[in-house]
Amino acid sequence: MALDALFLSHLVSELQETLQDAKIDKVQQPERDELVLQLRSARGNFSLLLSANGNPRLHLTERKLENPAQPPMFCMLLRKRIQGGIIRSVTQPGLERAVDIGIEVRDELGELTRCTLTLELIGRCTNLILRDGDNRIVDCLRRVDLSQSGRGVLPGLFYQLPPAQDKRDPRTIRRAELYELLAAGGDLPCDRYLLDTFFGLSPLLAREITARATGNCATRLDELTDTLRERVAAETVDVIAMLGKPYLYRKDGMPKEFSFLPLTQYNGMYEEEQCTSFSALLDAFYGERSAKERIDRKSATLRKTVETAVSRIRRKLVLQEKELAAAEDRERYRHE
């Protein structure tokens, strides 16, 4: 599952409560596109992982990640700019897939200044951006000029959020209005209509709303009765407004999905596990999957080595069998 904007809103609320007024003791960059902030506060010590790789996310982590002997340039910049600073806020701008970490730090002259470390979780455009109190970009993990995108992400430019989607904010919709929209929606699958109409939803969440309301996640709009249409409208509004809890879903012991609400669409195919926090959920989900991927890569290399050795031995065996067949009459030829 992608870490959609609604799931992110629950995670951000949790991090804001946990990390407010925490001091940034260390800044580490164990991978090219991963950052770890070592934090200390009255609530305890924490490691905050910010990942801009193929699985963009942020969460507290219990994993110990090794650091390169020579820190990358972006890491060195962050150490200079934010190390020793205090986290004053963790917020989500609107319902965007982005998180702003507001930091208060003293500059080289000892004056208190504010800066923001922003993680944008937008697929291939995922980025980590440091901006100053005037909203200018100090630097970023991935520099993007205007020729690559309609929005430049370069040092010195004023920061702008990614272009808004031509969709509605689901938090502002009312049941009666959504009922009318569904009635005029044509013959699209219900989950596809919700995805096309509202931003902040993932395919998983749109399917879940449909499954809860109609009993089938593949229901189409033209199959909705008045009662079912009312249920879809009510379920959508309720899911958007609900107070989420962290749920992890496994199959054969391996993590498969996660959500901020119990999933009904799988009909008991997956094992449900409620985690202690959203950070613990993401740490388990991605940590276990990463461990399995590393094992799969190593086993694939080992398997390839064994297959190559077996193939070589088989070729030798064929040649030796030919030599043996050619030498079957060696005793008769020797006596003649």
Side-chain angles (χ1 to χ4, degrees), residues 159-170:
Y159 174 76
Q160 294 179 322
L161 282 168
Q165 294 178 299
D166 187 21
K167 298 181 182 181
R168 296 192 56 174
D169 186 336

Side-chain angles (χ1 to χ4, degrees), residues 166-233:
D166 187 21
K167 298 181 182 181
R168 296 192 56 174
D169 186 336
R171 299 170 300 179
T172 64
I173 195 73
R174 296 183 179 277
R175 293 186 185 185
E177 183 183 5
L178 181 52
Y179 178 93
E180 298 299 329
L181 290 174
L182 292 169
D187 60 354
L188 281 174
C190 188
D191 62 325
R192 170 51 57 185
Y193 178 79
L194 293 174
L195 284 174
D196 291 346
T197 305
F198 301 107
F199 61 80
L201 305 183
S202 65
L204 176 73
L205 187 56
R207 289 196 307 270
E208 182 60 24
I209 290 171
T210 306
R212 284 171 172 241
T214 70
N216 184 349
C217 57
T219 303
R220 305 180 69 86
L221 293 180
D222 55 359
E223 297 172 340
L224 295 176
T225 63
D226 290 345
T227 301
L228 288 179
R229 195 175 295 116
E230 176 61 36
R231 287 180 183 174
V232 172

Side-chain angles (χ1 to χ4, degrees), residues 57-323:
R57 64 197 189 277
L58 82 161
H59 55 82
L60 302 181
T61 182
E62 297 292 334
R63 291 186 292 145
K64 303 301 179 184
L65 303 173
E66 294 185 7
N67 291 297
Q70 180 63 36
M73 292 297 294
F74 187 60
C75 179
M76 294 174 67
L77 171 77
L78 291 178
R79 287 178 179 178
K80 178 181 178 182
R81 291 280 188 157
I82 68 172
Q83 193 160 288
I86 306 296
I87 293 178
R88 295 305 187 192
S89 63
V90 181
T91 57
Q92 179 184 16
L95 203 59
E96 299 287 343
R97 287 187 65 197
V99 180
D100 291 336
I101 301 175
I103 302 168
E104 188 177 74
V105 65
R106 293 193 179 275
D107 61 17
E108 296 174 346
L109 300 176
E111 298 291 331
L112 276 177
T113 60
R114 296 293 295 262
C115 61
T116 303
L117 183 61
T118 297
L119 174 63
E120 295 182 344
L121 305 95
I122 317 171
R124 291 178 298 175
C125 299
T126 295
N127 210 343
L128 269 166
I129 303 165
L130 179 67
R131 45 199 174 101
D132 63 20
D134 295 325
N135 200 36
R136 285 187 183 273
I137 298 172
V138 178
D139 208 345
C140 49
L141 190 65
R142 296 185 176 95
R143 297 183 177 185
V144 182
D145 60 35
L146 292 173
S147 65
Q148 299 172 275
S149 168
R151 177 186 67 130
V153 184
L154 293 168
L157 296 182
F158 283 106
Y159 174 76
Q160 294 179 322
L161 282 168
Q165 294 178 299
D166 187 21
K167 298 181 182 181
R168 296 192 56 174
D169 186 336
R171 299 170 300 179
T172 64
I173 195 73
R174 296 183 179 277
R175 293 186 185 185
E177 183 183 5
L178 181 52
Y179 178 93
E180 298 299 329
L181 290 174
L182 292 169
D187 60 354
L188 281 174
C190 188
D191 62 325
R192 170 51 57 185
Y193 178 79
L194 293 174
L195 284 174
D196 291 346
T197 305
F198 301 107
F199 61 80
L201 305 183
S202 65
L204 176 73
L205 187 56
R207 289 196 307 270
E208 182 60 24
I209 290 171
T210 306
R212 284 171 172 241
T214 70
N216 184 349
C217 57
T219 303
R220 305 180 69 86
L221 293 180
D222 55 359
E223 297 172 340
L224 295 176
T225 63
D226 290 345
T227 301
L228 288 179
R229 195 175 295 116
E230 176 61 36
R231 287 180 183 174
V232 172
E235 192 66 46
T236 302
V237 172
D238 290 347
V239 164
I240 300 304
M242 77 185 312
L243 181 62
K245 295 181 180 179
Y247 292 93
L248 176 61
Y249 290 86
R250 300 177 183 273
K251 186 173 184 180
D252 299 326
M254 288 304 301
K256 294 296 183 181
E257 294 284 5
F258 60 84
S259 177
F260 64 87
L261 75 168
L263 298 178
T264 64
Q265 61 188 276
Y266 295 118
N267 297 316
M269 290 173 54
Y270 293 167
E271 308 151 19
E272 182 182 280
E273 173 187 337
Q274 187 171 341
C275 299
T276 56
S277 67
F278 286 99
S279 278
L281 163 62
L282 295 177
D283 201 30
F285 184 86
Y286 288 107
E288 292 179 30
R289 285 171 69 102
S290 296
K292 184 179 185 301
E293 288 170 1
R294 285 194 298 271
I295 292 172
D296 288 346
R297 285 196 298 269
K298 290 180 179 179
S299 63
T301 302
L302 181 59
R303 192 161 49 247
K304 179 66 175 177
T305 301
V306 171
E307 288 173 354
T308 301
V310 169
S311 178
R312 186 180 297 116
I313 291 171
R314 282 176 177 165
R315 289 197 299 270
K316 287 183 178 180
L317 182 60
V318 169
L319 292 175
Q320 289 174 349
E321 286 174 345
K322 288 181 179 180
E323 290 179 4

